[in-house]
Amino acid sequence: MDSKSKDTYHRRTGLIYVCAAGIFMLGMSYAGVPLYRMFCQATGLGGTISRGHDTSKIETMQAVPERSIKIRFNADVASSMRWNFKPQQTEVKVLPGETALAFYTAKNPTDKPIIGISTYNVVPFEAGQYFNKIQCFCFEEQRLNPHEQVDMPVFFYIDPEFAEDPKLQGVETITLSYTFFEAKEGFQVPLPGYMTQAQ
């Protein structure tokens, strides 16, 4: 093989490696968000609530009257999502061990139906393990017809064990944040095994 052939071979090989790396990075950018979300849900990291819809304690839990917590509500939409989405209330006060109900409003201002799917997180992140949703609209497709507006409930409680956690003694405010993304027809957010068994 002469030097010109070797040079051509090395350029072609290098180009193949660069293209393969680019395709791999593009694929990982699409897979990164759902993989990160699944990791956070499984571990409770990143403020994601790790227990799903836990209703087992509701009948027996006792409120902790000396520990009032302000729950703030935040709403976001992804850049490609054309809905208007906002909380109906900016905050509520709850006691650990007490249930609460809040509402978000979503409106499709466009002239075509749009399907959305939401994710959520809790800040401070350490409080995510104590934040239990009994009913919510997350991880389920929501279809809004043109100019349709809907109210979406979130029924939740803060586990009474929150009051006993020394890392959260100074925490007086928790923020629950939802983000809506546009989903294509039939798109389903993959759920970790523990959430599919609980449903």
Side-chain angles (χ1 to χ4, degrees):
M1 198 181 259
D2 63 1
S3 66
K4 188 175 181 181
S5 297
K6 282 184 181 180
D7 191 40
T8 303
Y9 173 77
H10 288 297
R11 284 185 188 171
R12 188 176 299 147
T13 304
L15 181 63
I16 290 171
Y17 281 123
V18 168
C19 289
I23 291 170
F24 176 76
M25 290 171 58
L26 181 66
M28 289 307 294
S29 69
Y30 281 104
V33 172
L35 291 174
Y36 179 72
R37 182 173 40 238
M38 286 175 24
F39 171 77
C40 289
Q41 288 171 341
T43 63
L45 294 175
T48 303
I49 304 162
S50 61
R51 296 188 198 166
H53 306 297
D54 184 5
T55 59
S56 61
K57 289 187 173 184
I58 294 175
E59 293 179 15
T60 59
M61 68 182 177
Q62 299 290 316
V64 182
E66 61 273 0
R67 189 75 194 274
S68 180
I69 304 166
K70 183 191 318 180
I71 308 295
R72 295 182 57 221
F73 300 97
N74 180 56
D76 294 305
V77 292
S79 60
S80 64
M81 180 56 135
R82 290 161 296 193
W83 284 3
N84 298 326
F85 178 56
K86 63 182 180 181
Q88 289 186 8
Q89 61 289 305
T90 56
E91 62 186 49
V92 296
K93 290 219 175 215
V94 298
L95 300 174
E98 174 182 72
T99 60
L101 180 64
F103 287 91
Y104 283 78
T105 299
K107 182 177 182 180
N108 177 4
T110 70
D111 293 328
K112 67 174 196 148
I114 297 177
I115 297 172
I117 194 161
S118 69
T119 61
Y120 62 89
N121 72 341
V122 174
V123 176
F125 299 141
E126 297 81 13
Q129 63 183 325
Y130 300 106
F131 199 102
N132 290 278
K133 293 183 295 127
I134 301 163
Q135 177 187 357
C136 79
F137 50 87
C138 56
F139 303 115
E140 295 175 6
E141 289 184 353
Q142 309 289 329
R143 178 187 170 102
L144 293 184
N145 290 317
H147 307 285
E148 181 180 9
Q149 178 174 313
V150 295
D151 294 334
M152 300 178 176
V154 179
F155 189 35
F156 66 93
Y157 70 91
I158 306 298
D159 193 305
E161 293 175 9
F162 174 90
E164 299 167 12
D165 191 330
K167 293 182 290 193
L168 298 170
Q169 287 302 315
V171 174
E172 297 176 2
T173 303
I174 296 174
T175 302
L176 175 62
S177 181
Y178 282 91
T179 303
F180 256 103
F181 300 88
E182 185 171 356
K184 302 300 178 199
E185 192 73 46
F187 175 76
Q188 193 74 13
V189 174
L191 298 175
Y194 70 89
M195 289 188 76
T196 55
Q197 293 170 359
Q199 293 178 349

